[in-house]
Amino acid sequence: MIRRTMLAACVVGALALTTACTNGSTGGTGTLTYMTFETPSLNSTFWNDSIAAAVKDAPGVKINRITSPSTDRDGYAKQLQASGQFPDLLQSITPSTFAGAGLLVPYDQAWVDANFLLPQGNALKGKVYIPPTNSQIIPEVFYNKELFAKAGVEPPKTWADFLTVCEKLKAAGITPMELGGGDPFAASMPLVGILSADVLGKNPQWLQERYAGKVKFSDANVIAAVEKYRKLVTSGYFDEGALGVKYADSITQFTGGKAAMYMMGSWFLGSVPKDDADNFGAFPVPTADGSVVIPFAVGGSMAISSKTKDLDGATRFAQAWSLDPGNLKALIESDGAFPMLKGKTLDDYNVTVSQVFKDSFAYVTDKNTKVAAIGWASNDDAMPPGLNDQLYAASQALFTSADVKGEMAKLDAAWDTATK
């Protein structure tokens, strides 16, 4: 359980929420700035309590928390870097976006090896910039069992079956799929799932081959995969106003029974209503032949800036935060994180989780085809800086535009520019 500690005053400004926290020691070389973000599950209370707990295990460290004004953590970090305010610690950023510019310090490999199940799970060229504390499936297809029963359908195995399920749901007067199209990352979930399953599922080295110039987004197999997303749109399987729905509202609408399915990262598990958890299930994005492909990402906690004036303090705080069982328990229960600490099973965290969480976690531990979740990898399969945002933007554009080849050509051009 996270230890509850009263923190110093919080000041809410136009760009960020700031919290100062200290363990009362006068040691250290100053206050460290820690960039976080907030979601319905990872709210201000979670961050404040987790900081207070870690500070107790890092004597002399003082923390000033700033919060990204949106879920675009990379974008906010870039903004801060451009204005000379790059934080000492940055939560859940994409390391490849910043490591190449020398802005991050890698963790001690011996410490990483000693504490995590997949020590190289999010490594970049062998170096770990964010401790691999947890993993996610990005995305799964969550579904409402009552609405499935009403339409007389079962979770599909193949893509053809999936389309049949969508059509039967629509015929029963049920919106087949929820989409938080107003937030780019949420809008991208169906496309991320389809590309990961169809393209990377058949060629797990696709992203490395894209770096080598051997494949392109404009290739026929990628175009065919994107056309499957367009089929979902043009068939009316999403609400027509989906581009106006924010991520937080999409959660509320899906859990409230407004749609039967929801393609979202496994962090949605933290938003499953506890009093109605048995009504929700999950299955992988279906493939043409029914093979199970899991778009997998090893996430983690925080990166350490190479510009920090207190590298020792930043490292001690980051390590304490990353290994705190209270934080991991909270992340499992509130954000649907799959823990990756060495020597522990799910039961060791003394967590209360739903059956859909257990079923989803089984995809992580089972033997199946695991591929990078395109646009979400933080290891060597991470796309070049800026490409994640381009992919998310393409997802929004393709909700109203049939120009699949044009959007994929834009991604190729952006990739080539970013890797020159």
Side-chain angles (χ1 to χ4, degrees):
M1 194 64 130
I2 293 179
R3 286 159 282 185
R4 305 290 177 181
T5 305
M6 292 302 293
L7 302 178
C10 298
V11 179
V12 180
L15 285 179
L17 173 110
T18 304
T19 300
C21 178
T22 176
N23 63 359
S25 169
T26 57
T29 60
T31 299
L32 299 172
T33 302
Y34 176 25
M35 189 195 82
T36 67
F37 63 99
E38 293 185 6
T39 69
S41 298
L42 300 182
N43 56 24
S44 180
T45 298
F46 167 80
W47 292 113
N48 293 347
D49 289 346
S50 70
I51 290 170
V55 161
K56 288 184 177 180
D57 294 328
V61 172
K62 299 178 182 179
I63 296 293
N64 182 52
R65 182 172 78 92
I66 62 173
T67 301
S68 174
S70 74
T71 53
D72 183 10
R73 302 180 289 277
D74 290 345
Y76 188 54
K78 290 176 185 177
Q79 178 183 337
L80 293 172
Q81 194 271 332
S83 62
Q85 302 175 77
F86 198 62
D88 300 282
L89 300 153
L90 304 96
Q91 186 74 27
S92 302
I93 59 168
T94 306
S96 60
T97 301
F98 304 95
L103 292 170
L104 305 180
V105 176
Y107 281 82
D108 175 66
Q109 193 60 48
W111 177 78
V112 176
D113 291 342
N115 289 290
F116 302 101
L117 288 172
L118 294 176
Q120 291 290 304
N122 57 10
L124 292 170
K125 295 180 172 37
K127 295 182 178 180
V128 176
Y129 294 94
I130 290 184
T133 57
N134 61 82
S135 60
Q136 301 276 6
I137 299 170
I138 310 174
E140 293 181 86
V141 185
F142 296 96
Y143 71 98
N144 182 307
K145 294 180 181 179
E146 289 182 1
L147 294 181
F148 264 44
K150 181 179 178 181
V153 297
E154 298 286 341
K157 301 292 185 183
T158 68
W159 185 257
D161 291 341
F162 180 69
L163 293 180
T164 298
V165 166
C166 288
E167 192 59 34
K168 287 184 176 180
L169 286 163
K170 183 180 177 184
I174 300 167
T175 301
M177 301 186 69
E178 180 61 49
L179 183 70
D183 282 309
F185 87 92
S188 78
M189 284 294 135
L191 188 57
V192 167
I194 295 169
L195 288 174
S196 298
D198 281 17
V199 179
L200 275 69
K202 293 179 179 177
N203 179 11
Q205 298 302 311
W206 191 88
L207 285 160
Q208 295 306 308
E209 292 183 8
R210 182 63 188 84
Y211 275 107
K214 297 179 180 179
V215 297
K216 290 183 177 294
F217 285 97
S218 53
D219 289 346
N221 64 322
V222 181
I223 296 295
V226 180
E227 289 288 2
K228 291 168 75 170
Y229 167 63
R230 281 291 301 161
K231 172 70 173 178
L232 299 179
V233 175
T234 58
S235 297
Y237 297 153
F238 300 104
D239 186 275
E240 290 183 0
L243 285 185
V245 179
K246 303 297 287 183
Y247 167 57
D249 294 328
S250 70
I251 293 175
T252 301
Q253 292 186 179
F254 175 63
T255 57
K258 302 297 185 183
M261 293 182 287
Y262 187 41
M263 282 194 192
M264 185 47 62
S266 53
W267 54 79
F268 167 74
L269 290 163
S271 298
V272 173
K274 292 181 174 57
D275 60 356
D276 195 29
D278 290 342
N279 187 37
F280 294 91
F283 56 88
V285 175
T287 56
D289 61 4
S291 58
V292 176
V293 178
I294 304 300
F296 190 66
V298 176
S301 53
M302 67 194 74
I304 302 173
S305 168
S306 61
K307 308 298 182 182
T308 183
K309 295 181 180 179
D310 185 6
L311 180 58
D312 174 70
T315 300
R316 287 188 292 112
F317 174 82
Q319 290 182 347
W321 196 99
S322 300
L323 298 180
D324 188 327
N327 291 344
L328 292 175
K329 174 181 170 66
L331 286 169
I332 294 167
E333 292 184 333
S334 68
D335 204 45
F338 302 132
M340 303 294 283
L341 280 184
K342 186 174 286 187
K344 294 185 182 296
T345 67
L346 194 59
D347 291 338
D348 292 323
Y349 294 93
N350 191 32
V351 292
T352 301
V353 295
S354 62
Q355 186 59 48
V356 66
F357 183 103
K358 295 176 182 177
D359 293 343
S360 298
F361 190 41
Y363 289 122
V364 177
T365 57
D366 285 353
K367 289 185 178 180
N368 48 45
T369 301
K370 293 182 177 67
V371 300
I374 191 168
W376 289 85
S378 56
N379 58 9
D380 289 325
D381 280 331
M383 296 201 294
L387 261 293
N388 290 355
D389 293 338
Q390 293 276 354
L391 177 62
Y392 304 162
S395 301
Q396 288 181 311
L398 287 168
F399 193 85
T400 55
S401 171
D403 188 13
V404 172
K405 291 183 179 179
E407 289 298 326
M408 294 303 101
K410 289 179 185 178
L411 286 178
D412 280 325
W415 185 296
D416 293 340
T417 299
T419 55
K420 279 184 179 179

